[in-house]
Amino acid sequence: MTLPRLPFSRQPLRHIQDRLATGLITAGGIGVLLAILAIGVFLVWETLPLLALGDTFSLAKLSPLAWGTLKAALAAMLFATPIALGAAMYSALFMSARLRSRLKPTLELMEAVPGVVIGFIAGLLLAPWVERNLASALMIIIWLPLSAALAGYLWYRTAVHVRQRLPLSWAGLWLIPWLAGMAVLAIWIAPIIEQHWLGGDLRRLLDQRYGLDYATRNALIVGIAMGFAVIPSIYSLAEDALADVPPTLMEGAQALGASRWQALWKVALPTAAPGVFSAVMIGAGRAVGETMIVLMASGNTALFSASPFEGLRSLSASIAIELPEASPGGLTYHLLILAALALFIFTFVVNTLAEIVRQRLRRRYQRLGSSL
Amino acid sequence: MRWQRAVFSNVGFLKMSGSGLWPWLCAACVALSLLMLAALLTLLTIRGLGHFWPAPLEEVTLKSGDIVIGQPVRETTLPKGAGSERLYFTGNQDITGSNWQWITIDDISQQAEPADLIRLTRTPWGDFIGRLMTVESGDQRLTEQAAWTFIHDALALPVKQRPPGTLVLATADGQILRQPLASVTYFQSPNAMSWGQKTIAWGQRIWQFLSEGPRAANTGGGVWPAIFGTVLMVILMSVIVTPFGVLAAIYLNEIAHQNRLTRLVRIGVRNLAGVPSIVYGVFGLGVFVYGVGGSIDSWFFSDELPSPTFGTGGLLWASLTLALLTLPVVIVATEEGLARIPDAQREGAVALGATRLEMLTRVVLPMATPAMLTGMILAVARAAGEVAPLMLVGVAKLAPQMPVDGEFPYLHLERKFMHLGYHLFDTAFHGEDVQAAIPLVFATALLLVLIVLVLNLTAIFLRHYLRRQRGNEC
Amino acid sequence: MKRYNLRRVRKHQLLLLLTGWLLMAGNLAWGQPTSVSGTLGAVGSDTMAGLVLRWGEALSARHPDINLQFQAGGSASAPTALVAGTTRLGPMSRPMTHAERQQFIDRYGYPPLELRVARDALVVVVHRHNPLDTLTLQQVDAIFSTSLACGAPHPIRRWSTLVPATDWPYGQIALHGRNLASGTHGLFQERALCDGEFRLDISEHPGSSAVIAAVGESFNAMGYAGYNHLNPMVRALRLVDESGAAVAPNERSIQQGKYPLSRDLYLYVNLPPSESLPPVEQAFLTLIFSEEGQQIVKAAGFVPLPNQLRDAQRQHP
């Protein structure tokens, strides 16, 4: 932007001020960017001594931790992705506008719940409860989706005036008591099923028949707790991507006779797929780096085990509890910094990928919007 | 969701009229998310606030003839389906050796809530639960109502000004205990209280929790230093992060040429928001604490070495680390605000002869202020809930010295500080008796969640207001 | 060398106690406590944090002008701070190593005064309804280690090996313990595993109370933790000592040192041989060895010193 010269007496001063300010802002801006770059440089610098040591044995110590990190993230994503994407699809295309404008901030609040609180609840309340009532917990996981389908089925069967009272566009709200009721039902009915068909004790059955060991704090608990934490971030980005699909596309599909769901599934979802993908990636990035939840709910067992009922230990949790005690310059210190570097690189790659995909998508929408 | 598809296609549910059942499953996802959030908040509220409510004390007669007085805490089933048992908080650790007692429900022959049961908190032994016999003060021996009034009047005074006195107490099995009045910190007879009195006592105890320091090595008392530490750290952090974040955003949006490099940088900044907080903690520990702090120590505090002054975690390093952590949040939010300002505004200002600085300070920045505020509040909200990086850079289990005091230079940036989130983690995982600590942990968790939620709500409303305002202008 | 050190320590104790007596005698003579004021700094053990802070609270109650500042950085931070001279009091949950002591002597020319202030123990805990009652140290090693350094023939993995008579608890033993950085982890490794290697599938908790909480909620769990964290959710097992008798961890057995995993808690004081302690530190030590101070030890969940040891340290050796 070139500035026109003006015949004012204070002009030189103003221009000097302007130059100064521009310089300052530039310096500040570049400084901030350098500081951000410094993180990567520092982590690489501090792991270099490890190369000199060439100690493959201690590097091998990190591999169960890396496995644990991935296992925890996978468990969380298995729980969070369907729920978050389902919620995004529903709120982008079926929900009433008024409810939608309220729902987004509410789920943002969900994202704000500190990890240490979630971890505490998961580790000290949820984990023992699930251990005592394993059958009920599994029952809830199986029964809740079924009961949602049942709600839909019943809805189609009811009279028209009831349907008008309880429209699909508000179902996100009025299904809450239904689901709560169904969860209570599952908790109540599970012990009966356990008694009659599973020999009275599901855990004994798992142990005796399949040799499955059950640890109190396990991947299942971590998955639920961390899933809770990543649902909002996946939801929010995926919903943005779906809601930004040019409405003309959907209208076109529906004009050709597609139902709303078909239009969503066949048109909106493929169009928004990169955005949805990037949402999932960002969620995965968050799950990999989350510390307090894993620390408090995982049991910190450095195991190579794929069982969802066994514990795990993640890179981030190990850093949090071991690094303050590690003497700077020692082997443990450098190893833990290597762990941090691994987390940094992983999340950076994942996020960059997601961001690039999202920018592509934005351009595609612009193209679609202009061509139609 | 593949198994769901298998199930449903077999049954033919999906061929239902209209859109089929899929939308219902999606709706259930929303409902489930909301349900989980609501359940979490309800749990925190009930357990967090319920702890302060004066709980009734029960006198339980066992079939063996023993009598136990205590507050019922929880009930669980016995193994192998042998009925259930109940945990009583019985206090009197000095007499019985334990604060707790499990009682099998089947063993109870009688239970009642007599109005004369009392509960008092003493140092160093914690809670006493039992009966008050008499109060001895000088030559006086007070009983009944006179004793109650005497105690209430005395406890209202500071320890030094209390009249000398001894409470003669009796435990459930009739043992007599003489407790000097000076060591009593709290006195209550919950069974005799009316609802109104209970509400008042409840309010008082919540206030004590918020305003007092921890007692008996974090097992009792309040969380005031943790609140103070959290707030101070967050204020320092926002003082550091806001100018830098805003500068970087202005640079990116207003000054730098919009080319491949800026786009790359923008991606980088956005990504940093996704870098795990613990990585920032590692960076803070390695660079700020060991690097910068170590150098400061060897230059200015060399006479103190080898014990570190700035070379160990402290308030300053924690604030700096969290400032770095929240920098992307501020940059992104501010940039969003700047991008929303129509170019016509800038062009108009320049056309009227303003320099770029004038254009920025008089036109652009005032319009972007709400966005900056939003960014700052979001940063604060994120920082207030972060715990993992703090564990590396300066949070303490118990910091008897507040970071602000009357000693020069009044604000002690090198001191360790207490933080609500870490306090929660510490009392839940490191405390002496986790069973006793859990109610306090719930209260702390509720407080932390409230602080973070209120900050977030402020940001949300601010953004909403901003968008509406912008919408009207355009 | 060690012996020599011990004798030196005794000598300092003598001096200290003499001054203490003089002070106390002075107090008695004047008929009222002299007003002591100042700040007392201590740096050291995390385990003892609760105890030291309670002592600090009681000290402030006795002498309102004394203010205790305690920095819990783990036992290893105490010698560093003592050598650096930033504190005169270093609480430690283990005795100083030879190297640490030598560092101190190199710096000051005299050894630090070593005081035993309380007893503690590591306990092996199970769920409160678990029928298991006693373990030998070999069994503990067989359960927790892969190396079997204490001489057990084979590892123990399942409850059926330990409690063959009942069908409850069943399955594998779920193990719980502390994380690598903690002193409890190190001590258990040294004393119970004969310096062997821990199993990999032990849940490593960031705190002893987390161990207790985990074991208390899970019927097939076993774990180790500090004695002061015991609560009614769990039951501490009796351990078989060298003579073959099963000893339960309780105040008596730990106090007398009969329980195999008991240990002392120390307080190291920087006191030049010819000097007496400053009044503030003196008041603190007086409190620790007083009846009230040892009651506080109990209230904090640890075990008070046996009377003769307490008196020996308070009075003449």
Side-chain angles (χ1 to χ4, degrees):
Chain A
M1 208 176 293
T2 46
L3 300 166
R5 280 188 149 273
L6 289 167
F8 280 166
S9 55
R10 289 190 311 153
Q11 202 173 353
L13 183 66
R14 289 169 66 215
H15 277 283
I16 290 169
Q17 275 179 349
D18 185 47
R19 289 268 163 77
L20 272 176
T22 310
L24 191 75
I25 293 171
T26 313
I30 291 177
V32 165
L33 303 178
L34 280 182
I36 286 171
L37 202 68
I39 298 180
V41 176
F42 159 77
L43 292 173
V44 173
W45 180 252
E46 284 286 329
T47 37
L48 284 182
L50 274 184
L51 289 180
L53 290 170
D55 193 345
T56 43
F57 171 70
S58 6
L59 284 181
K61 273 190 195 162
L62 283 185
S63 47
L65 307 189
W67 166 251
T69 307
L70 292 179
K71 186 177 162 189
L74 188 72
M77 295 311 285
L78 280 179
F79 178 71
T81 314
I83 294 182
L85 294 189
M89 288 193 279
Y90 172 74
S91 78
L93 293 154
F94 294 99
M95 196 183 266
S96 83
R98 235 176 86 204
L99 184 56
R100 196 176 149 228
S101 67
R102 297 274 189 287
L103 181 74
K104 272 203 96 163
T106 314
L107 286 181
E108 272 172 25
L109 286 188
M110 185 168 160
E111 189 170 13
V113 176
V116 67
V117 174
I118 300 176
F120 153 66
I121 303 265
L124 288 185
L125 260 80
L126 184 66
W129 186 85
V130 171
E131 186 183 22
R132 272 200 307 276
N133 307 287
L134 184 62
S136 302
L138 294 178
M139 187 75 192
I140 290 179
I141 295 175
I142 297 168
W143 177 237
L144 278 193
L146 289 177
S147 72
L150 181 67
Y153 178 75
L154 290 177
W155 189 80
Y156 288 119
R157 284 295 157 100
T158 49
V160 179
H161 67 272
V162 179
R163 286 198 225 169
Q164 279 167 348
R165 281 277 177 77
L166 298 171
L168 176 60
S169 55
W170 284 85
L173 217 54
W174 61 256
L175 270 180
I176 295 177
W178 168 266
L179 285 183
M182 285 297 148
V184 171
L185 180 71
I187 292 173
W188 176 72
I189 213 164
I192 301 173
I193 293 179
E194 198 181 10
Q195 204 63 45
H196 286 280
W197 285 288
L198 300 171
D201 191 340
L202 182 59
R203 284 184 58 190
R204 195 187 289 256
L205 188 82
L206 285 177
D207 179 55
Q208 283 168 354
R209 193 167 304 168
Y210 307 103
L212 264 183
D213 194 24
Y214 185 93
T216 317
R217 291 170 174 73
N218 55 40
L220 179 75
I221 304 291
V222 175
I224 293 175
M226 208 150 68
F228 180 88
V230 294
I231 284 174
S233 47
I234 303 180
Y235 162 82
S236 157
L237 291 168
E239 209 256 5
D240 282 346
L242 283 168
D244 287 347
V245 171
T248 41
L249 285 180
M250 292 286 289
E251 283 159 14
Q254 279 173 300
L256 291 171
S259 72
R260 226 176 146 70
W261 175 259
Q262 282 168 329
L264 164 68
W265 193 251
K266 295 271 162 67
V267 180
L269 207 57
T271 320
V276 172
F277 170 76
S278 79
V280 173
M281 291 305 271
I282 283 176
R286 188 157 177 215
V288 162
E290 178 58 58
T291 309
M292 293 315 282
I293 297 178
V294 202
L295 176 61
M296 296 166 93
S298 76
N300 297 312
T301 331
L303 281 181
F304 270 113
S305 134
S307 160
F309 296 135
E310 281 193 59
L312 55 93
R313 177 174 193 154
S314 81
L315 292 168
S316 50
S318 302
I319 298 174
I321 47 174
E322 307 294 355
L323 193 59
E325 317 282 335
S327 62
L331 180 64
T332 327
Y333 179 78
H334 288 305
L335 267 181
L336 289 171
I337 290 197
L338 179 66
L341 180 67
L343 286 178
F344 181 74
I345 292 176
F346 185 87
T347 47
F348 209 92
V349 167
V350 160
N351 284 321
T352 310
L353 210 67
E355 188 66 32
I356 290 172
V357 168
R358 214 168 58 200
Q359 292 206 344
R360 284 255 163 87
L361 177 74
R362 203 169 296 142
R363 256 175 276 152
R364 184 201 286 191
Y365 281 163
Q366 275 165 5
R367 240 190 0 258
L368 281 172
S370 58
S371 67
L372 284 167
Chain B
M1 291 177 108
R2 185 165 293 151
W3 60 273
Q4 289 173 343
R5 200 180 305 157
V7 168
F8 291 136
S9 57
N10 286 346
V11 186
F13 270 9
L14 286 179
K15 305 289 177 231
M16 297 290 302
S17 61
S19 301
L21 289 175
W22 283 108
W24 293 94
L25 282 174
C26 294
C29 291
V30 171
L32 184 64
S33 310
L34 293 176
L35 181 65
M36 287 194 296
L37 181 64
L40 179 79
L41 295 181
T42 320
L43 177 76
L44 284 179
T45 314
I46 292 175
R47 298 284 299 264
L49 291 178
H51 166 59
F52 301 107
W53 186 257
L57 298 172
E58 281 182 9
E59 184 172 36
V60 181
T61 316
L62 303 181
K63 285 183 179 147
S64 64
D66 291 344
I67 298 174
V68 176
I69 299 179
Q71 174 202 340
V73 177
R74 53 182 289 193
E75 214 169 302
T76 55
T77 48
L78 285 167
K80 298 193 271 188
S84 57
E85 58 180 349
R86 196 182 289 156
L87 180 63
Y88 280 91
F89 178 79
T90 54
N92 308 0
Q93 199 198 353
D94 45 342
I95 302 165
T96 56
S98 171
N99 270 325
W100 307 90
Q101 192 169 349
W102 283 100
I103 292 174
T104 313
I105 301 292
D106 292 344
D107 287 348
I108 297 176
S109 71
Q110 203 185 338
Q111 72 188 55
E113 293 184 9
D116 61 339
L117 297 183
I118 59 148
R119 174 177 192 155
L120 52 93
T121 312
R122 322 151 288 167
T123 47
W125 283 108
D127 281 16
F128 170 87
I129 293 179
R131 289 193 167 81
L132 176 69
M133 308 307 285
T134 52
V135 177
E136 293 171 358
S137 175
D139 300 334
Q140 281 178 299
R141 286 173 62 83
L142 304 166
T143 51
E144 302 291 319
Q145 200 52 48
W148 297 86
T149 4
F150 177 79
I151 294 172
H152 279 286
D153 293 345
L155 287 189
L157 299 170
V159 180
K160 291 274 140 192
Q161 295 165 22
R162 284 183 197 166
T166 306
L167 310 187
V168 181
L169 306 163
T171 62
D173 48 5
Q175 277 194 58
I176 298 292
L177 179 78
R178 301 172 63 84
Q179 189 74 40
L181 194 54
S183 63
V184 177
T185 52
Y186 190 75
F187 179 91
Q188 196 180 57
S189 50
N191 293 359
M193 289 163 95
S194 66
W195 278 85
Q197 286 170 322
K198 280 189 178 179
T199 315
I200 292 169
W202 181 67
Q204 280 172 345
R205 287 193 54 197
I206 291 180
W207 174 244
Q208 279 177 352
F209 176 72
L210 294 177
S211 64
E212 281 181 4
R215 250 185 302 109
N218 283 6
T219 54
V223 290
W224 167 242
I227 300 177
F228 186 82
T230 313
V231 169
L232 184 67
M233 189 269 298
V234 160
I235 288 175
L236 269 176
M237 177 221 75
S238 41
V239 166
I240 299 166
V241 74
T242 314
F244 280 103
V246 169
L247 273 186
I250 293 177
Y251 171 74
L252 277 178
N253 210 60
E254 308 280 327
I255 290 181
H257 294 282
Q258 302 301 312
N259 52 19
R260 194 172 277 271
L261 179 73
T262 13
R263 215 169 43 239
L264 214 69
V265 168
R266 214 163 269 149
I267 291 181
V269 169
R270 252 162 230 266
N271 284 355
L272 278 171
V275 167
S277 56
I278 188 77
V279 174
Y280 287 95
V282 172
F283 179 76
L285 181 74
V287 172
F288 296 143
V289 176
Y290 291 149
V292 184
S295 312
I296 292 180
D297 273 2
S298 58
W299 293 334
F300 302 108
F301 299 96
S302 51
D303 45 337
E304 304 260 325
L305 284 174
S307 93
T309 311
F310 275 102
T312 176
L315 185 61
L316 179 64
W317 305 137
S319 313
L320 269 177
T321 307
L322 285 191
L324 200 58
L325 174 88
T326 49
L327 197 56
V329 181
V330 178
I331 295 179
V332 169
T334 313
E335 255 210 280
E336 216 165 83
L338 289 174
R340 276 172 187 276
I341 297 168
D343 271 343
Q345 301 274 358
R346 298 189 182 89
E347 284 154 12
V350 175
L352 288 172
T355 62
R356 181 145 59 185
L357 178 67
E358 285 160 347
M359 182 255 292
L360 281 178
T361 50
R362 309 233 173 116
V363 179
V364 174
L365 287 186
M367 291 179 79
T369 313
M372 287 184 239
L373 266 177
T374 313
M376 198 182 92
I377 295 170
L378 282 178
V380 165
R382 168 123 198 243
E386 258 332 320
V387 177
L390 295 181
M391 287 164 74
L392 303 181
V393 293
V395 82
K397 175 192 187 70
L398 213 153
Q401 289 171 299
M402 295 283 241
V404 173
D405 60 19
E407 209 178 296
F408 185 78
Y410 310 117
L411 175 63
H412 302 273
L413 291 176
E414 80 286 358
R415 281 191 188 161
K416 290 188 186 271
F417 63 101
M418 290 180 76
H419 181 271
L420 272 178
Y422 184 73
H423 186 74
L424 192 167
F425 170 70
D426 187 75
T427 28
F429 279 62
H430 285 283
E432 283 171 15
D433 181 353
V434 62
Q435 191 65 42
I438 278 190
L440 284 176
V441 176
F442 268 109
T444 317
L446 177 66
L447 185 63
L448 182 64
V449 167
L450 276 184
I451 291 178
V452 173
L453 287 195
V454 165
L455 284 170
N456 267 285
L457 278 175
T458 322
I460 287 169
F461 281 120
L462 207 66
R463 200 170 48 194
H464 189 68
Y465 164 79
L466 162 81
R467 288 205 175 140
R468 265 234 310 264
Q469 210 185 27
R470 273 301 151 264
N472 291 344
E473 275 174 18
C474 293
Chain C
M1 190 69 202
K2 207 170 183 182
R3 223 190 182 144
Y4 167 77
N5 278 342
L6 270 173
R7 207 172 296 149
R8 284 288 294 269
V9 170
R10 290 266 159 77
K11 220 188 248 170
H12 298 308
Q13 284 170 6
L14 169 73
L15 273 169
L16 162 77
L17 296 164
L18 271 179
T19 44
W21 271 95
L22 280 174
L23 268 173
M24 262 192 266
N27 285 351
L28 286 175
W30 287 104
Q32 58 186 16
T34 50
S35 77
V36 190
S37 69
T39 306
L40 189 62
V43 179
S45 164
D46 201 23
T47 314
M48 291 168 72
L51 181 58
V52 175
L53 289 167
R54 279 166 200 255
W55 274 332
E57 283 169 29
L59 191 66
S60 301
R62 276 191 180 186
H63 311 275
D65 296 329
I66 297 186
N67 177 15
L68 177 93
Q69 291 174 353
F70 178 61
Q71 200 182 333
S75 285
S77 63
T80 324
L82 281 171
V83 170
T86 47
T87 179
R88 297 188 73 139
L89 301 174
M92 291 176 71
S93 60
R94 56 171 173 82
M96 267 195 191
T97 63
H98 185 74
E100 284 164 349
R101 182 180 290 273
Q102 196 53 48
Q103 245 185 344
F104 187 92
I105 298 175
D106 289 347
R107 170 77 172 76
Y108 292 104
Y110 52 86
L113 171 61
E114 181 184 76
L115 298 169
R116 287 156 204 248
V117 291
R119 288 242 155 111
D120 185 24
L122 295 188
V123 288
V124 180
V125 290
V126 292
H127 189 266
R128 61 189 176 280
H129 292 302
N130 199 309
L132 183 68
D133 181 62
T134 313
L135 282 180
T136 63
L137 283 176
Q138 272 192 0
Q139 280 177 314
V140 172
D141 181 43
I143 291 167
F144 280 94
S145 83
T146 51
S147 54
L148 304 178
C150 299
H154 44 77
I156 299 176
R157 284 303 300 133
R158 301 186 68 83
W159 281 106
S160 48
T161 327
L162 289 174
V163 278
T166 78
D167 64 337
W168 194 96
Y170 55 81
Q172 294 197 3
I173 306 171
L175 299 172
H176 298 268
R178 286 297 314 276
N179 59 312
L180 187 65
S182 77
T184 310
H185 179 278
L187 190 74
F188 194 76
Q189 188 167 27
E190 180 198 322
R191 301 275 287 275
L193 304 193
C194 307
D195 280 322
E197 288 290 315
F198 274 103
R199 291 187 59 86
L200 281 180
D201 55 358
I202 300 177
S203 289
E204 295 192 357
H205 295 270
S208 269
S209 50
V211 177
I212 299 283
V215 175
E217 296 290 355
S218 166
F219 66 83
N220 63 345
M222 183 186 285
Y224 63 88
Y227 175 75
N228 61 323
H229 294 276
L230 273 183
N231 76 8
M233 311 299 294
V234 297
R235 199 160 45 78
L237 294 177
R238 301 199 294 167
L239 294 182
V240 177
D241 67 4
E242 283 140 13
S243 67
V247 186
N250 53 36
E251 206 183 305
R252 254 178 73 118
S253 65
I254 295 172
Q255 199 169 51
Q256 294 168 354
K258 281 187 183 157
Y259 180 72
L261 298 180
S262 48
R263 62 166 167 183
D264 282 340
L265 302 178
Y266 295 85
L267 179 70
Y268 286 90
V269 186
N270 181 352
L271 179 69
S274 54
E275 286 177 28
S276 61
L277 271 180
V280 183
E281 271 88 345
Q282 184 55 55
F284 188 57
L285 292 187
T286 313
L287 170 80
I288 289 177
F289 294 116
S290 70
E291 194 56 43
E292 187 193 352
Q294 293 295 307
Q295 285 290 310
I296 291 172
V297 169
K298 246 173 108 172
F302 296 104
V303 175
L305 294 171
N307 279 336
Q308 67 269 32
L309 181 60
R310 189 184 87 184
D311 294 342
Q313 293 189 91
R314 184 165 58 178
Q315 299 166 9
H316 203 271

